[in-house]
């Protein structure tokens, strides 16, 4: 499987480590009144779609960047990849 | 004071050069390295900080190598016995003091010289899971070679440098030597 790295071009998946659902980037506010419930969902509950899935991959044997990869879990087709830092900046993170 | 004897990453008293056919495999013990974490508008020793996957070098073969976003490796030949991180700090000034780390002793550098670019291509095609164009002259990429994490530096058409972690210098040397003998 090839991951289309936004900076380095197509790279073999063996250079990467898989973490999981990209929703992990959206960590709940620890000071919110419902923080316990929100963190319970954040840590333990995941969607498990058969189809298009946004997931986090770490380019461990490369430039050590985190990517958000869009992959079809049924066909393993990789539909795109973005730097996780760019995804978070687009959401307004600093 | 204890009389310490410096040895190379391969455990020998002096760097060894192995000639295999048209290739020369040499442990470059003189390569000084320091990492620099900053914006890309800085020019250490006049070197432009390169884009992803690239390296820049000057006539003295000092080079700047892209490691990751906002992170470069600055290298200088024949200065491994100097305090290179300190020299880089003096070059850039006190505001860069916390942005530089010494890297010389963390890495081992193996230089491969060949008589033609085709010979370099033959070795890279055996070792590296990347298109040959990604390792062309002026390229510097980090990838896997036999499950070992390495930087592949391509200063010119007939030379290639493998930078690996010093702790597995012997394994990397074995991989390169075996590949050159094929």
């Amino acid at each position: 499987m090839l991951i289309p790295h936004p900076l380095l071009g197509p790279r073999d998946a063996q250079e990467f480590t898989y973490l999981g659902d990209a929703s992990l980037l959206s960590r709940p506010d620890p000071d919110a009144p419902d923080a316990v419930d929100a963190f319970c969902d954040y840590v333990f509950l995941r969607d498990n779609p058969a189809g298009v899935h946004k997931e986090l991959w770490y380019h461990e044997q490369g430039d050590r960047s985190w990517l958000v990869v869009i992959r079809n879990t049924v066909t393993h087709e990789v539909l795109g990849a973005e730097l996780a830092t760019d995804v978070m900046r687009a959401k307004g993170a600093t | 004071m204890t009389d310490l004897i410096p040895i190379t990453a391969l455990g020998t008293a002096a760097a060894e050069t192995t000639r295999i056919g048209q290739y020369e495999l040499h442990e470059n013990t003189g390569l000084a390295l320091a990492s620099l974490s900053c914006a890309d508008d800085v020019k250490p020793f006049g070197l432009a900080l390169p884009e992803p996957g690239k390296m820049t070098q000057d006539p003295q073969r000092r080079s700047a190598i892209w490691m990751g976003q906002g992170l470069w490796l600055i290298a200088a030949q024949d200065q491994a016995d100097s305090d290179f991180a300190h020299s880089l700090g003096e070059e850039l000034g006190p505001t860069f003091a916390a942005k530089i780390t010494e890297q010389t002793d963390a890495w081992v550098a193996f230089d491969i010289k060949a008589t033609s670019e085709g010979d370099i291509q033959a070795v890279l095609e055996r070792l590296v899971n990347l298109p040959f164009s990604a390792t062309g002259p002026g390229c510097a990429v980090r990838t896997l070679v036999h499950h070992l994490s390495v930087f592949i530096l391509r200063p010119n058409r007939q030379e290639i440098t493998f930078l690996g972690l010093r702790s597995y210098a012997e394994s990397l040397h074995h991989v390169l030597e075996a590949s050159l003998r094929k």
Side-chain angles (χ1 to χ4, degrees), chain B residues 76-130:
Chain B
Q77 301 287 338
D78 304 320
Q79 290 189 40
D81 55 355
S82 71
D83 188 352
F84 183 60
H86 182 74
S87 309
L88 182 60
E90 295 223 308
E91 160 77 12
L92 293 173
T95 55
F96 285 83
K99 301 175 177 178
I100 295 167
T101 61
E102 173 65 41
Q103 296 286 324
T104 304
D105 285 344
W107 301 86
V108 60
F110 293 115
D111 294 340
I112 294 175
K113 287 182 189 166
T115 45
S116 74
E117 187 174 22
D119 294 329
I120 291 290
Q121 181 169 3
V123 172
L124 285 172
E125 285 179 347
R126 281 199 288 272
L127 284 173
V128 184
N129 211 355
L130 284 173

Side-chain angles (χ1 to χ4, degrees), chain A residues 7-8 10-12 14-15 59-65 83 85-86, chain B residues 52-53 66-69 129-131 141-144 147-149 151:
Chain A
L7 300 174
L8 298 168
R11 289 300 190 105
D12 196 295
Q14 71 172 348
E15 293 182 7
H59 198 195
E60 186 171 20
Q61 308 299 349
D63 71 340
R64 310 289 167 108
S65 59
L83 291 168
T85 46
D86 290 348
Chain B
W66 189 84
M67 291 184 91
Q69 285 183 287
N129 211 355
L130 284 173
V141 292
R142 190 173 201 171
T143 186
L144 284 173
H147 304 284
L148 302 173
S149 181
F151 272 99

Side-chain angles (χ1 to χ4, degrees), chain B residues 6-157:
Chain B
I7 56 172
T8 71
L10 294 176
T12 54
E16 289 182 6
T17 302
T18 316
R19 279 177 223 286
I20 302 162
Q22 65 275 43
Y23 298 106
E24 189 180 293
L25 172 62
H26 174 67
E27 183 190 352
N28 184 352
T29 53
L31 191 69
L33 298 164
S35 74
L36 173 63
S37 171
C38 62
D40 62 1
D41 55 357
V42 181
K43 285 198 165 184
F45 307 115
L47 289 161
L49 294 179
E51 294 175 1
K54 303 287 182 192
M55 66 187 286
T56 51
Q57 51 187 337
D58 66 11
Q60 290 84 41
R61 291 198 69 179
R62 276 185 299 225
S63 51
I65 298 150
W66 189 84
M67 291 184 91
Q69 285 183 287
L71 183 63
W72 287 269
L73 199 57
I74 312 299
Q77 301 287 338
D78 304 320
Q79 290 189 40
D81 55 355
S82 71
D83 188 352
F84 183 60
H86 182 74
S87 309
L88 182 60
E90 295 223 308
E91 160 77 12
L92 293 173
T95 55
F96 285 83
K99 301 175 177 178
I100 295 167
T101 61
E102 173 65 41
Q103 296 286 324
T104 304
D105 285 344
W107 301 86
V108 60
F110 293 115
D111 294 340
I112 294 175
K113 287 182 189 166
T115 45
S116 74
E117 187 174 22
D119 294 329
I120 291 290
Q121 181 169 3
V123 172
L124 285 172
E125 285 179 347
R126 281 199 288 272
L127 284 173
V128 184
N129 211 355
L130 284 173
F132 184 56
S133 58
T135 51
C139 287
V141 292
R142 190 173 201 171
T143 186
L144 284 173
V145 167
H146 283 235
H147 304 284
L148 302 173
S149 181
V150 294
F151 272 99
I152 298 174
L153 316 178
R154 189 82 188 282
N156 58 54
R157 291 188 183 281

Side-chain angles (χ1 to χ4, degrees), chain A residues 13-44:
Chain A
Q14 71 172 348
E15 293 182 7
F16 293 80
T17 308
Y18 176 80
L19 181 71
D21 194 326
S23 66
L24 286 168
L25 287 171
S26 308
R27 187 192 296 265
D29 177 5
D31 296 324
D34 63 343
V36 172
D37 287 344
F39 266 92
C40 185
D41 291 354
Y42 172 79
V43 173
F44 296 111

